Amino acid sequence: MAVIVQKYGGTSVGTAERIGAVADRIAATVQDGTRCVIVVSAMGHSTDRLVNLANEIAPVRSQREMDVLLATGEQVSIALVAMALLARGVHAQSLTGWQAGINTEAVHGAARIESIDQRRIEQLLDNGIIPVIAGFQGIHGTDVTTLGRGGSDTTAVAVAASIHAQSCEIYTDVDGVYTADPRIVAKASKLSAISYEEMLELATLGSQVLHPRAVETAKQHGVQLVVRSSFSEAEGTVIKEMGSMEGMRMVTGVAVEKEVARIAVLGIQISKHHLSAMFQALAQEQVNVDVIVQSVVKTGEVDVSFTVAEADATHAIRMCESLQSVLGYREILQELGLSKVSIVGAGMITNPGVAAQMFAAIEAAGAEIKMVSTSEIKVSCVIPSRFLSEVVNQVHQTFALDALE
Amino acid sequence: MAVIVQKYGGTSVGTAERIGAVADRIAATVQDGTRCVIVVSAMGHSTDRLVNLANEIAPVRSQREMDVLLATGEQVSIALVAMALLARGVHAQSLTGWQAGINTEAVHGAARIESIDQRRIEQLLDNGIIPVIAGFQGIHGTDVTTLGRGGSDTTAVAVAASIHAQSCEIYTDVDGVYTADPRIVAKASKLSAISYEEMLELATLGSQVLHPRAVETAKQHGVQLVVRSSFSEAEGTVIKEMGSMEGMRMVTGVAVEKEVARIAVLGIQISKHHLSAMFQALAQEQVNVDVIVQSVVKTGEVDVSFTVAEADATHAIRMCESLQSVLGYREILQELGLSKVSIVGAGMITNPGVAAQMFAAIEAAGAEIKMVSTSEIKVSCVIPSRFLSEVVNQVHQTFALDALE
């Protein structure tokens, strides 16, 4: 009999009432004999509460002790979900990260899973007991570790891979992956299926349904993912390998990232390492740089433009200024109030002219294109935010995304 | 170099600020090279919060999952205390029950410690690192267990025994053991030392400074206990073996238990098992019976009186009524508004007439003695609560307890 892994996020287990609803759903799933493994996150804002406590106590924090602290969040959830299942007459048993055999590398705060000793999970399944596993946490030696951002999704996928589960269902507060943000595009349609690659591009582009790390792990191990809402019975979106047999869609969706700043460093003296010097310095300061464009203006000089989140703009400019002696630039400009609009589609590779169609759509919406960046399955354009709604709707219409499913 | 175990209770680690104060105290203790092991309870009311969550989710609770849930309380504390120490430049590392090697029997909710694998604790100490251990919890196999009431005190004593610590300091919100409750007896004096046996009698009699279980474990392993306040620098009370060399005090303290109900079952037909039938039934219903007095009234008939907490009185009476066919009693009476006053002293054994002195003191205070119960080092009298203050002060004065130290 097939096994399904179900992962419930912090919102899904945010209150006693919601935990009850989750237990009802699991009880319904196993009624026909389907075997389930459950992975849960910490309740709603409990992690924030713990982080605040730690901040009050120690300004500089020990990562080892932070992991011990934060791991309690999921431990509370697994106990409560297991209790809710037992109260419904469903056999269940909670497992912390170390009890579930989730072995990670020796890193605190952002450990990667190295292996899963799945024997205890399988033993429970063989005895008709549902394992309720704490996401986000593992063990190295006898030390508690946590997996960092996207950790619970990754736990679910890794567990699914280790027991060769039929699929891994990620329950969240949206009912699937859409061709665009329904708050911007009224006609946005829910996709029934999408490839790992497309999902990765959409995930990194800000459709924050699923963490890229989890998608990567799923792709690597061929785990079929399903994104579903824990608040409805809607079908959700399947993320899987999609061969050409299925006819790859040219464009699958439009993603948006708001509050983008463009920083232009003009008249940089060309050297062997002017780019690496600049972006290594920014990386060391944890400034996340997105689109990068370099253009040669005249011999021996270049202009470099890049985008960062608006919140990071001032910090990024100060970093560049501190490199004046290395870069020998003439001036730095910044532009705020921008957004990045991207189209993603695995079929793009074999369809020339997709980028041109997108540019035309943006121009038709009356917006100036500030920057362009492309990959094999993605085209991104930076535009003024005040045109965002018109642009996204125009692009959505151009590629007939409302007809997708 | 000697090792000291320090245990901090829920009030002592109730807020971020108090955790800071605890860390300051530990930092001061280790400054001269003293080696310390710390045991902590869950923060203030965090356990209540978790129990309430569980109540919301499942009316009938799984004890296994309750243990997984409750163990998070101490895990939060150890991480925060370790962080606070590290922030003060003191090397420290948190250990959960399972990491500290606290092995318990296979019972959930009230497990006893079977053994401690103290190697990791010793290894940390050898490396100049303070182990910060979660009280109240342990492990059986790979399952998390909790120790029930008095658990953290017991953890501290058991750890102290396992590493042959010089002493085990229990930090709480009172600064020691007094000859009487200072709220009742203004002249109550703090004892500098007391024997295990006396402390056991005082503990079970309601001087809720230290759980009897911890005192028993300390006595068994010869661990010297110190009760101290975490809010002051006062010396505290030492609990240890006190031989006759030290001159055993006749009376060490007066203990009080309020809100006591007396239930009298009159005219019970004597049988081989009328007492066991009655009190087994009450025990099964979790009614805690204290003083029991049986008196033969006439041939073939007895009256049995016993005390319970006032809150349990109605329930206890109903239980007795349900046994009418077995007991064949004539009638049941109850008396509320009573208190139990007890004197405790290891020297009582060799001093005849102590009980008589106590009775005289109570009569001098104008109170009627409702029931009497004695052991080798204790005399208890049940009296009307309205005389409580006069009685306790009179008894305290009779035995010159204000002169003790």
Side-chain angles (χ1 to χ4, degrees), chain A residues 6 25 33 64 72 89 123 127 144 149 158 163 195 214 225 252 263 288 296 316 364 375:
Chain A
Q6 297 189 334
R25 181 182 288 269
R64 180 191 186 275
T72 62
Q123 201 184 349
N127 290 318
V144 173
R149 289 179 71 94
I163 59 171
S195 71
L225 284 168
T252 296
I263 294 168
N288 219 337
V296 177
S375 80

Side-chain angles (χ1 to χ4, degrees), chain B residues 69-404:
Chain B
L69 182 69
L70 294 183
T72 61
E74 286 77 24
Q75 190 169 330
V76 167
S77 298
I78 54 171
L80 295 176
V81 169
M83 280 181 204
L85 286 169
L86 290 166
R88 282 158 180 77
V90 178
H91 295 297
Q93 192 179 103
S94 70
L95 297 176
T96 60
W98 59 270
Q99 288 172 331
I102 316 277
N103 298 304
T104 76
E105 52 183 4
V107 168
H108 286 294
R112 277 174 302 195
I113 296 175
E114 282 186 336
S115 66
I116 294 184
D117 178 349
Q118 82 290 0
R119 282 174 297 177
R120 185 154 178 188
I121 299 172
E122 287 178 345
Q123 201 184 347
L124 289 177
L125 285 172
D126 289 346
N127 290 317
I129 298 167
I130 300 180
V132 181
I133 301 173
F136 182 71
Q137 59 181 255
I139 190 166
H140 180 85
T142 54
D143 265 9
V144 173
T145 53
T146 68
L147 312 182
R149 290 180 71 97
S152 288
D153 288 351
T154 308
T155 301
V157 172
V159 167
S162 78
I163 58 171
H164 308 291
Q166 177 188 296
S167 77
C168 178
E169 303 180 342
I170 308 286
Y171 285 86
T172 176
D173 48 1
V174 297
D175 62 358
V177 181
Y178 279 76
T179 53
D181 185 336
R183 288 168 301 186
I184 301 178
V185 180
K187 288 184 172 174
S189 52
K190 193 175 73 186
L191 297 163
S192 60
I194 184 172
S195 69
Y196 296 118
E197 292 77 6
E198 289 169 325
M199 189 64 213
L200 274 172
E201 290 289 7
L202 286 171
T204 35
L205 286 171
S207 305
Q208 286 155 350
V209 181
L210 202 52
H211 200 274
R213 221 174 128 183
V215 181
E216 273 170 11
T217 311
K219 176 175 152 61
Q220 201 179 331
H221 296 279
V223 173
Q224 177 175 300
L225 283 168
V226 184
V227 173
R228 302 184 63 172
S229 165
S230 56
F231 304 115
S232 83
E233 291 298 324
E235 276 291 330
T237 300
V238 178
I239 299 135
K240 58 180 181 181
E241 203 64 66
M242 289 173 78
S244 58
M245 291 289 288
E246 301 180 57
M248 284 183 289
R249 291 169 299 220
M250 196 167 73
V251 176
T252 296
V254 188
V256 166
E257 202 173 316
K258 298 177 194 172
E259 291 173 16
V260 169
R262 183 170 75 102
I263 293 168
V265 185
L266 307 177
I268 295 173
Q269 301 302 309
I270 290 178
S271 74
K272 265 192 186 145
H273 51 262
H274 67 272
L275 274 179
S276 61
M278 231 171 111
F279 292 105
Q280 270 174 18
L282 289 166
Q284 269 163 19
E285 290 288 309
Q286 311 289 331
V287 174
N288 220 337
V289 174
D290 188 9
V291 183
I292 301 174
V293 175
Q294 172 171 297
S295 54
V296 177
V297 184
K298 58 179 190 184
T299 316
E301 244 186 60
V302 288
D303 294 346
V304 173
S305 299
F306 58 90
T307 62
V308 294
E310 273 189 0
D312 285 338
T314 311
H315 190 48
I317 290 172
R318 240 179 250 136
M319 277 311 299
C320 292
E321 286 171 350
S322 74
L323 295 170
Q324 162 70 51
S325 62
V326 180
L327 303 174
Y329 63 82
R330 196 170 55 245
E331 86 179 294
I332 298 180
L333 303 176
Q334 75 163 336
E335 187 170 9
L336 304 178
L338 302 176
S339 290
K340 189 174 75 167
V341 177
S342 308
I343 50 171
V344 171
M348 218 177 267
I349 307 173
T350 52
N351 284 278
V354 172
Q357 271 182 275
M358 183 179 185
F359 300 155
I362 294 174
E363 284 162 19
E368 182 190 355
I369 298 172
K370 299 281 183 176
M371 291 170 93
V372 174
S373 157
T374 58
S375 81
E376 290 185 327
I377 65 165
K378 186 188 70 173
V379 180
S380 299
C381 297
V382 176
I383 60 154
S385 295
R386 66 180 186 282
F387 292 102
L388 184 63
S389 176
E390 294 91 317
V391 164
V392 175
N393 277 286
Q394 186 70 54
V395 170
H396 200 265
Q397 196 192 314
T398 296
F399 294 105
L401 296 182
D402 53 341
L404 279 192

Side-chain angles (χ1 to χ4, degrees), chain A residues 58-73:
Chain A
V60 181
R61 297 192 303 244
S62 149
Q63 275 299 334
R64 180 191 186 275
E65 301 304 337
M66 267 315 271
D67 282 359
V68 173
L69 182 69
L70 294 182
T72 62

